[in-house]
Amino acid sequence: MEGFFPQVIFTIFDIPVRDTVISTWIMMAIIVGVAAVVGRRWPAALEMLVDFLIDTISSVMGRPAGPYLPFLGTLAIFVAVANVIGIVPLVVSPTRDVNTPVALALVVFFSVYYFGIRAKGLWGYFKDLASPIFMLPMELISHVSRTLSLGLRLFGNIVSTELIVAVVFALVPLFVPLLLVAFSMLTGVLQAYVFTVLAATYIGAGLESMNNEQKK
Amino acid sequence: MAEMEPGTLITLVTVIVSGVAILLGTLTPAIVEGRAVLKALEGMTRQPEAANDLRTTLIISMALLESTAIYVLLICLILIFANPLLERFF
């Protein structure tokens, strides 16, 4: 099992840099390069991707996807590529390290407050959050726990599929792990979809106003 | 049994408990997910025009259900690879 868990490659100013961070840098270069090449040659492919993201986000949030598309689309593409890139030899999946999914979940956690406060103002947002005042502790606990579960779900799914691939590879080295690698790619794309949809759900729940029905 | 070291006993108990935990922790979400898929399929056959909404809701809810199994898996991984009891006492 040595080499399965993230290794520290080198340190900069006492900050350990793991191999998952290096593969994140490789991944960023791949995404930018593919986006530049595909955008110049076949722009219709990127338009299909953006159309799919707009459809998904607007159907989940129940409102136009315009202001949230840059954030949620970036999240979807990053998580999908990060889950799938583990099949490339010598590149480890960045989401295999627990720090990457939890960092992404923390970004979602703060973006809920950012979008909520931007839409309703500081006072309006916290007034809606504490609309029955005794529910405020429950709301705050649920914000923390759903952030934790969002990060740990992505981490656990990726780690479990790669662990199964590693175990089967130790038993039967030829051809049989290929099926599980294909399954892990499917799981990775599905988990990216789930991550994006859940982030959209959380942001949409933060945008909903309790007083709308009374005003109408 | 009398000459067994304390660390060995903790390791033995940990392995047995991890096996039982992963059994129960994957069995229950699997049954519940099967029930969710069953209900969603019934809804899709009854109302095919609502199939897209049902599929999105099904995928989200299955991810939420599956997270319990993921928690059990994480706890088993912690118990096997980084057992806090072994690190504290030995």
Side-chain angles (χ1 to χ4, degrees), chain A residues 80-102:
Chain A
V81 178
N83 291 345
V84 171
I85 206 161
I87 64 166
V88 178
L90 300 179
V91 180
V92 295
S93 178
T95 37
R96 184 195 278 180
D97 192 350
V98 72
N99 295 304
T100 313
V102 170

Side-chain angles (χ1 to χ4, degrees), chain A residues 6 20 29 31 43 49 52 56-57 61 98 102 163 189:
Chain A
T20 49
I31 292 176
L49 177 64
F52 172 72
T56 309
I57 293 168
M61 297 178 77
V98 72
V102 170
L163 201 61
V189 175

Side-chain angles (χ1 to χ4, degrees), chain B residues 3-67:
Chain B
E3 296 175 3
M4 189 183 281
E5 294 177 21
T8 320
L9 183 65
I10 287 182
T11 311
L12 186 68
V13 171
T14 298
V15 169
I16 294 172
V17 163
S18 314
V20 174
I22 202 79
L23 170 70
L24 292 176
T26 52
L27 194 66
T28 326
I31 293 170
V32 176
E33 277 181 29
R35 199 173 292 169
V37 174
L38 187 70
K39 285 290 175 187
L41 280 178
E42 280 177 6
M44 278 183 201
T45 47
R46 201 174 299 144
Q47 281 180 310
E49 68 270 12
N52 277 324
D53 287 344
L54 279 177
R55 197 175 299 129
T56 310
T57 315
L58 178 68
I59 291 176
I60 298 170
S61 54
M62 283 192 45
L64 288 175
L65 288 171
E66 200 173 305
S67 58

